[in-house]
Amino acid sequence: MKNKTNIVAWGVFVVLAVSIGLYPILYFVEGREFGLLPSKGDRLLNNVFWNIGFYGHIVFGGVALLIGWMQFSEKIRTTYIRLHRSVGKLYVISVLVSGVCGGYIALHATGGWISTLGFMGLAIIWLLTTLKAYRAVRNKDMDLHKGLMIYSYAATFAAVTLRIWLPLLHIIFDDFVVAYRLVAWLCWVPNMVFAYFWIRRRGLIIG
């Protein structure tokens, strides 16, 4: 029963990662009337730097989400080592680009400074854990690398949890701005807590 539960959980995890990883494509198909864009003012939508930040964030963030789950597959890690390393390098590059872009567009987040602080905190933690994970593997500290990668992908997975929380919060409060302020924190803080206990359960050393 436990194995079946683990298989189902893994399947749901992968399906969510892949589906939301592909989600940014809809912004190019549907145009300016899709997603969060209608809530932005014309001045921001016409700002070249904001557009670079926004599309850089969603495209590279989508790539990180789309490929990052593969790094948790023991079969890929042990059987296809070159693939694991190549995917890892692409993941790190994608996080760096998306994280920097995300930090910039957080300055213009819907909901003001509460949302800005939430998303800025996510961007900083995402960048730091990913960079430290890369440095750890370069130093051949595999326990530290694995633990930090769990934190990193927990931050990446905020793209999924945001899309779970936001509609629920919108229904509960019937106010998009209030919901967005809350989701700026709820999309990633619980993920970090979950990652912390997962790391402890696996006995990985962080520090």
Side-chain angles (χ1 to χ4, degrees):
M1 179 65 72
K2 186 175 181 181
N3 287 337
K4 285 186 176 180
T5 301
N6 290 340
I7 291 172
V8 171
W10 174 255
V12 172
F13 170 68
V14 173
V15 168
L16 287 173
V18 172
S19 58
I20 301 302
L22 294 172
Y23 184 83
I25 294 174
L26 294 176
Y27 277 96
F28 296 95
V29 175
E30 300 293 334
R32 295 290 193 175
E33 299 304 314
F34 181 73
L36 295 173
L37 293 181
S39 67
K40 305 298 182 182
D42 289 338
R43 182 176 180 181
L44 198 60
L45 291 175
N46 292 322
N47 185 298
V48 174
F49 294 107
W50 184 86
N51 276 278
I52 292 173
F54 177 77
Y55 288 103
H57 175 62
I58 65 170
V59 169
F60 285 93
V63 171
L65 187 61
L66 192 61
I67 66 174
W69 65 269
M70 297 170 62
Q71 302 302 81
F72 296 94
S73 168
E74 186 175 352
K75 183 177 181 180
I76 292 176
R77 288 201 310 269
T78 56
T79 308
Y80 305 101
I81 298 175
R82 287 187 178 181
L83 176 62
H84 176 72
R85 289 173 178 170
S86 297
V87 170
K89 291 175 182 178
L90 179 58
Y91 175 83
V92 170
I93 293 170
S94 298
V95 170
L96 292 182
V97 175
S98 184
V100 171
C101 290
Y104 171 73
I105 63 173
L107 298 174
H108 305 279
T110 300
W113 65 270
I114 295 176
S115 299
T116 292
L117 288 178
F119 288 123
M120 188 67 75
L122 170 59
I124 292 170
I125 286 176
W126 197 22
L127 290 168
L128 286 179
T129 54
T130 305
L131 285 171
K132 287 185 176 182
Y134 178 73
R135 186 172 65 180
V137 77
R138 296 284 293 179
N139 293 334
K140 302 187 183 305
D141 189 339
M142 300 313 296
D143 275 0
L144 182 60
H145 171 69
K146 291 176 182 177
L148 286 168
M149 279 303 299
I150 290 173
Y151 277 125
S152 173
Y153 199 69
T156 304
F157 209 72
V160 174
T161 47
L162 182 147
R163 285 163 179 82
I164 295 172
W165 276 112
L166 188 56
L168 294 176
L169 293 170
H170 196 187
I171 292 171
I172 292 170
F173 294 100
D174 194 28
D175 187 320
F176 181 78
V177 173
V178 172
Y180 204 71
R181 286 171 179 164
L182 290 171
V183 86
W185 297 88
L186 283 175
C187 72
W188 65 275
V189 173
N191 293 18
M192 293 297 112
V193 175
F194 177 82
Y196 170 77
F197 285 107
W198 186 13
I199 289 166
R200 289 194 62 181
R201 183 179 178 183
R202 294 186 64 181
L204 297 175
I205 300 172
I206 300 294

